[in-house]
Amino acid sequence: MNADDLSARDAQRSKVYAAEEFVRTLFDRAAEHGSSSVEFFGTQLTLPPEGRFGSLAAVRRYVNDVLALPAVQREWPGVAPLRVRARRASTAAHYENRDGAGVIAVPQRDDADWAMRELVVLHEIAHHLCDVQPAHGPQYVTTLCTLTELVMGPEVGHVLRVVYAKEGVR
């Protein structure tokens, strides 16, 4: 399979990333202003606090806690355990499935604060819960929206859905 085949298969990846960057910026701006209340397309919303992680061990605990949530287990029964490992490059986090075992690779360097946050880790967990192709297709988007809603609250699920729609994500 060549690069053109991969990009055709995961055609909305860049749109998904752009939408999620917008949502992370929304959380960052709320934190900068010391208020969880934001105006979102003409509506006042109260965002929950977003978890930030100081270590790979904290990310591991969070991943295990998320997968152990009763609501997550009801939605995705029998989900396999998920390992977390360090990633050397600081430009991306990623999910990989190695012979049926899910692994999240997260950069933990000083220049990778963007990755040590709840929304990024939930993005990678969603890949584990929905390990289908295309990797950022409609099934994945639905999975991430549902997961964030179950873990962070309905406001975050709503924000993601609206921003995805604005970006043309299906």
Side-chain angles (χ1 to χ4, degrees):
M1 182 177 300
N2 65 36
D4 290 337
D5 293 334
L6 284 174
S7 64
R9 256 191 346 171
D10 200 7
Q12 68 180 17
R13 183 176 106 163
S14 63
K15 292 178 183 179
V16 167
Y17 288 169
E20 292 174 15
E21 178 64 27
F22 180 92
V23 174
R24 288 192 303 270
T25 299
L26 187 66
F27 271 84
D28 290 344
R29 293 235 169 93
E32 286 170 9
H33 294 105
S35 172
S36 58
S37 181
V38 297
E39 185 170 317
F40 181 70
F41 293 100
T43 302
Q44 282 296 121
L45 287 178
T46 301
L47 297 175
E50 182 191 11
R52 301 290 181 128
F53 308 105
S55 68
L56 204 57
V59 174
R60 285 185 187 111
R61 281 190 302 276
Y62 178 79
V63 167
N64 291 334
D65 289 348
V66 165
L67 295 178
L69 287 171
V72 171
Q73 290 185 348
R74 274 191 304 276
E75 189 72 29
W76 297 281
V79 67
L82 180 57
R83 238 177 25 100
V84 177
R85 71 169 178 84
R87 179 182 164 101
R88 288 184 201 169
S90 62
T91 58
H94 77 269
Y95 172 77
E96 56 199 42
N97 188 319
R98 293 186 175 181
D99 300 322
V103 180
I104 293 174
V106 182
Q108 58 179 0
R109 297 172 40 181
D110 290 337
D111 58 347
D113 285 349
W114 66 268
M116 298 294 277
R117 60 188 299 168
E118 190 169 17
L119 288 166
V120 171
V121 173
L122 287 173
H123 174 103
E124 302 308 330
I125 293 172
H127 281 301
H128 181 64
L129 298 174
C130 182
D131 192 13
V132 298
Q133 295 300 324
H136 296 91
Q139 284 181 276
Y140 170 79
V141 169
T142 298
T143 298
L144 181 57
C145 289
T146 301
L147 180 63
T148 56
E149 190 171 283
L150 292 174
V151 175
M152 295 182 75
E155 298 83 2
V156 184
H158 171 72
V159 166
L160 268 175
R161 284 180 179 91
V162 169
V163 175
Y164 280 148
K166 179 186 169 295
E167 290 291 329
V169 173
R170 301 180 301 112

